Structure formats: C-alpha cells, structure tokens
Amino acid sequence: MANNEQCKNHDNEDWFVETGVLNSDQCRLTIKIGRKLIEKQSKYQNILAFENEKFGRCLVLDDAIQCTELDECSYQEMISFLPLNIHPNPERVLIIGGGDGGVAREVAKHPLVKHVVQCEIDSEVVEISKKYLPFMGVGFENEKLKLFFQDGYEYVRNHKNEFDVIITDSSDPKGPATTLYQSEYYQALYECLRHDGIICCQAESYWFDLEFIKNLFHKVQQIFPSLAYASTAVASYPSGQIGFLIASKSKTVDFKHAKHQEKFQKIAEKLRYYSPEMHSSAFILPMFVQRQLDQVLNNP
Ligand code: SPD
C-alpha cells in the first residue's frame, strides 16, 4: 500500500524519500520535490508525480521511483531494444505493465515492429502520464499500439503462440506486480510466444537483489533454454543500476550482438542511450555477479 514518505528539511523544503528499496532497509534515496503535480490513490497503488530541478518530471508508484525525465531513456530504450535487436524478426510485441508509456514509445519506433499490444492493470497511471508526463505519455498515441486495461498474467494465460517479443515493464515484486515474478507467469509467457520468441523482464539491481536475481534465474531456466541478465545505469534508482532478465525459446540465440543494424540506423538519431555498443556491453557483468549467475546456470 501507499507508503510515500515525504519530509521537510531544515529549510522547510519538501523531499520525497524512497522507502521501498527492495532488498535493503539500510539506505534511502531522496529527491527534492520542487513542485508536486499530483498525488492520488488508485485502486491499485499510490501515484505521485512531481518536478525536480535536476531530474525534471518524476513518477513514483507506491514508495518507489519509476522514472524521471533526466534518465528514463536508459531504462526504456534498453528494455525495448535489447530484445528487439536479438530477435530475428520482431513483428508482434506485447508489453505487460509500462503504464507511463515510455516502453510503448520506444517499441513503436523499431522499423521491424508492426503490431504492439500493451496490457496495463492501472488506467490511472496512464491518464496521469498523458497529462503530467507527456514525454512518455506520447507513447500511447502510436497507431501500432492496442492498449488493454487488464491484469497482465490473465492476458498472457489467454493468448498462445502470438508474440515474437514480450516485455514486462513492471514495478518491484510487491503489490500489483507480485504475480509477474512467479514461475506460472514465465510458463505462460513461454506459451504466449511464437517460435524463437524472446522475453525481457525488469529484474532488479545486482547490488541489492542478487539473491532475488539468482532465484529468478533458477525459475526461468526450468522453462526457457537460454537466458541472460543485462544491466543498465539509472541515476534516480537507489543503487544507480537495474537489470533485465532476457530469455529465449531458441537454444542457439546470440544475446550479445545487436541485429538489424542497417534498418535500425534510421532511428538511431532519435535515441539518447541505446547503441549496438551499449547493447553488447550490457551483458558484461562484474565478476561477482557473473560467478553467481554461472553457478545457477551450471546447476539447473
Ligand atoms: N525499483 C523501481 C523499478 C521500476 C521499474 N519500472 C520502471 C518503469 C519505467 N517504464
């Protein structure tokens, strides 16, 4: 439930305090609230949007920062273009979550993508993003996109063999996103994908959540033959880092080298973060992380 801590400093200025750091109760991220745009309780969560001089417009769901104008590109571009440039022909894409619109905005840019379906549980996040965060809300205007307000797990359970790429842009594994980290969900994703399909899911920070990531790897490798963790840097997240679990139905997938470069070149100038080099480097992990993940992968 809502747990946004907001406090005043000695100068009587308002600050947002992130209390929801997933696996650490030992640190807090704080961002000054320059101007509050809206705060409301939806059926599912507390939604807060505010402005900060450095980060620009910011979105918080329950007690966790989701995105800021300054650095949202590193998350939205990477969660979108990593799987889209691994799959040989990503024509049909499903987005689960992503209520701010940033992932829809990126996915629709890809020259090979023809149809995008998005399934977001909370229509109020979408409305708030359109009104207060139009740099992301613009994602909902693309004609490739069909948007449903529905539970993501329910949607994938009822659609078989339909998508080339499925992106789960979820908040942390509590509240409305809890089911999106369970084995049953990954099994449903597997069945919802077409031949050689790929999933890319928000998979937390290796600094705070390595045990959680290992556990996720353990679950997903029972279902998908190939999987990897890719990392990106997000200044406004408590550890400055977040990653994605990417898994493929193909046994022989090459995760590290970006495909479609000639066609993709057309949109390269519209991007702020992703490049073929960033793609490859996302899979290069610190030794302590790689060792731990290899241990899981070598002991299925
Ligand atoms: N700890 C916060 C993780 C947030 C992931 N979702 C970001 C949404 C961007 N579209």
Side-chain angles (χ1 to χ4, degrees):
M1 281 310 287
N3 192 22
N4 282 327
E5 205 171 288
Q6 287 160 48
C7 64
K8 288 197 183 290
N9 67 4
H10 293 309
D11 297 324
N12 207 30
E13 294 162 331
D14 291 315
W15 286 71
F16 161 75
V17 184
E18 174 157 342
T19 53
V21 184
L22 186 59
N23 283 309
S24 174
D25 56 3
Q26 300 297 307
C27 70
R28 295 284 182 257
L29 169 96
T30 53
I31 300 185
K32 194 200 274 187
I33 300 177
R35 181 164 73 105
K36 195 183 275 190
L37 300 165
I38 188 166
E39 179 166 25
K40 77 182 286 190
Q41 181 69 37
S42 76
K43 185 174 162 202
Y44 301 99
Q45 56 209 335
N46 180 276
I47 309 169
L48 166 70
F50 66 88
E51 261 174 7
N52 169 277
E53 224 173 83
K54 183 75 195 166
F55 285 103
R57 294 197 167 197
C58 305
L59 175 69
V60 176
L61 296 181
D62 277 346
D63 46 5
I65 275 275
Q66 300 298 310
C67 21
T68 83
E69 205 167 346
L70 176 77
D71 58 4
E72 52 101 7
C73 59
S74 64
Y75 180 97
Q76 328 266 30
E77 291 183 19
M78 294 295 268
I79 198 174
S80 305
F81 298 126
L82 288 170
L84 294 175
N85 283 338
I86 293 169
H87 194 281
N89 190 17
E91 287 186 354
R92 293 184 58 83
V93 181
L94 172 64
I95 302 166
I96 299 296
D100 50 69
V103 173
R105 180 194 67 198
E106 296 307 321
V107 167
K109 282 180 191 163
H110 197 287
L112 292 174
V113 170
K114 292 190 176 149
H115 306 284
V116 187
V117 173
Q118 178 162 2
C119 195
E120 162 61 50
I121 200 166
D122 194 343
S123 62
E124 300 216 48
V125 178
V126 172
E127 289 318 312
I128 285 175
S129 188
K130 283 184 184 167
K131 185 161 178 192
Y132 297 101
L133 309 156
F135 52 97
M136 298 190 291
V138 68
F140 297 114
E141 281 165 24
N142 199 287
E143 54 191 27
K144 291 182 187 176
L145 181 75
K146 224 185 225 172
L147 175 64
F148 296 101
F149 294 115
Q150 197 186 329
D151 175 71
Y153 177 37
E154 190 186 302
Y155 185 91
V156 291
R157 250 190 352 223
N158 291 316
H159 291 80
K160 307 273 180 223
N161 202 23
E162 276 189 31
F163 296 96
D164 301 307
V165 173
I166 305 176
I167 296 171
T168 306
D169 176 19
S170 62
S171 43
D172 299 320
K174 42 190 181 176
T178 312
T179 48
L180 306 182
Y181 293 86
Q182 289 167 353
S183 294
E184 293 76 8
Y185 177 66
Y186 298 109
Q187 182 62 44
L189 289 179
Y190 185 92
E191 290 165 22
C192 189
L193 286 170
R194 299 206 285 195
H195 179 67
D196 282 354
I198 290 185
I199 58 166
C200 183
C201 310
Q202 197 273 95
E204 302 298 344
S205 158
Y206 55 58
W207 292 113
F208 293 157
D209 314 310
L210 194 49
E211 284 307 309
F212 173 85
I213 298 168
K214 282 167 63 182
N215 196 268
L216 212 56
F217 258 56
H218 182 69
K219 285 180 199 166
V220 174
Q221 77 169 334
Q222 317 297 321
I223 299 164
F224 286 82
S226 316
L227 59 155
Y229 179 92
S231 175
T232 194
V234 184
S236 57
Y237 288 168
S239 75
Q241 182 273 335
I242 200 159
F244 312 110
L245 182 141
I246 304 182
S248 168
K249 278 179 118 168
S250 159
K251 286 190 182 116
T252 56
V253 63
D254 175 5
F255 286 120
K256 293 187 184 161
H257 296 102
K259 293 188 170 59
H260 317 304
Q261 282 318 299
E262 211 173 301
K263 290 195 172 114
F264 195 71
Q265 202 45 41
K266 289 186 200 134
I267 65 153
E269 66 183 27
K270 293 188 190 150
L271 308 184
R272 286 202 289 151
Y273 195 89
Y274 177 92
S275 68
E277 292 77 18
M278 291 302 282
H279 181 120
S280 299
S281 69
F283 294 93
I284 300 171
L285 302 174
M287 283 311 298
F288 78 94
V289 180
Q290 194 61 60
R291 271 191 213 110
Q292 295 279 315
L293 297 183
D294 284 346
Q295 202 180 37
V296 181
L297 291 174
N298 295 330
N299 296 288

